[in-house]
Amino acid sequence: MERFVPLCLSLILVLELVFRAAGNAEGDALNALKSNMVDPNNVLQSWDATLVNPCTWFHVTCNNENSVTRVDLGNANLSGQLVAQLGQLPNLQYLELYSNNITGTIPEELGNLTNLVSLDLYLNNLTGGIPTTLGKLSKLRFLYEHFKIFMWLTYLVSL
Ligand SMILES: *[C@@H]1O[C@H](CO)[C@@H](O)[C@H](O)[C@H]1NC(C)=O
Ligand SMILES: *[C@@H]1O[C@H](CO)[C@@H](O)[C@H](O)[C@H]1NC(C)=O
Ligand SMILES: *[C@@H]1O[C@H](CO)[C@@H](O)[C@H](O)[C@H]1NC(C)=O
Ligand SMILES: *[C@@H]1O[C@H](CO)[C@@H](O)[C@H](O)[C@H]1NC(C)=O
């Protein structure tokens, strides 16, 4: 018994570290975006990377497994560049970044967002066009970039 209690405690500690690391991978990815943005209106102020997961952050929505499904940062007066780490949000469905001052290119890693339904990047200053990796996203239906509207119809991709 005397040995059993510390053993249990250390097991709990190890498990907690494992879960925390898993939960925080998505927080780390979003924090990479935050680090790359100039945010004069402090819309990313609640993005505290030390929390267990990003689900309580403003402008972030999670599913009931605490995995990020939406990032809503339209019209937020952000400037800076997108980051490759955004491709590490496996359940992301909506990435809304319209009407900011974002420059640079769209990372080809966004092609890893297999659950992405909508990507709104219009009214920014992005260059370099749409990466071909986005063509393999079968759920992506709405991709707005610059003023052009691209409709990715699921059946067209699956042909
Ligand atoms: C956007 O940020 C700039 C500073 O970078 C500031 O001058 C401007 O007032 C902000 N615009 C809005 C709508 O908050
Ligand atoms: C983008 O930046 C310019 C100059 O810094 C500023 O005048 C403009 O209001 C910004 N636009 C948005 C949508 O934040
Ligand atoms: C885009 O860049 C141009 C000049 O490079 C600037 O005049 C314009 O305000 C920028 N647009 C936005 C939405 O930041
Ligand atoms: C994501 O996409 C990039 C480029 O499209 C690729 O190199 C990378 O291996 C992919 N996977 C992960 C987990 O980032």
Side-chain angles (χ1 to χ4, degrees):
M1 193 64 190
E2 273 159 31
R3 285 197 182 172
F4 184 68
V5 171
L7 189 71
C8 276
L9 283 177
S10 42
L11 191 68
I12 288 168
L13 195 72
V14 166
L15 283 178
E16 198 194 278
L17 285 175
V18 167
F19 281 113
R20 186 170 291 194
N24 242 346
E26 299 194 355
D28 289 347
L30 288 175
N31 199 51
L33 177 68
K34 179 185 177 178
S35 311
N36 226 25
M37 290 283 151
V38 178
D39 178 19
N41 295 8
N42 292 322
V43 295
L44 304 177
Q45 203 165 32
S46 67
W47 288 28
D48 177 356
T50 65
L51 296 180
V52 185
N53 60 52
C55 301
T56 55
W57 299 359
F58 289 156
H59 315 292
V60 173
T61 309
C62 290
N63 61 18
N64 49 24
E65 268 127 44
N66 290 333
S67 184
V68 176
T69 55
R70 294 188 70 112
V71 175
D72 287 283
L73 286 169
N75 208 6
N77 209 9
L78 296 168
S79 53
Q81 283 97 45
L82 300 177
V83 293
Q85 286 92 328
L86 284 174
Q88 294 161 15
L89 299 166
N91 292 302
L92 189 66
Q93 295 180 310
Y94 295 86
L95 181 55
E96 308 293 322
L97 288 166
Y98 56 86
S99 192
N100 284 294
N101 268 337
I102 300 170
T103 51
T105 58
I106 302 176
E108 63 174 28
E109 285 79 4
L110 295 194
N112 293 337
L113 297 173
T114 50
N115 284 301
L116 200 63
V117 172
S118 177
L119 175 61
D120 284 348
L121 296 170
Y122 61 92
L123 290 177
N124 280 295
N125 269 357
L126 291 160
T127 48
I130 296 161
T132 53
T133 52
L134 294 188
K136 67 182 186 201
L137 296 178
S138 58
K139 291 184 188 164
L140 186 61
R141 265 167 296 174
F142 306 101
L143 171 59
Y144 306 111
E145 200 229 359
H146 304 303
F147 284 99
K148 286 170 270 173
I149 297 175
F150 295 83
M151 301 276 282
W152 241 269
L153 294 170
T154 313
Y155 71 89
L156 278 181
V157 176
S158 60
L159 282 181

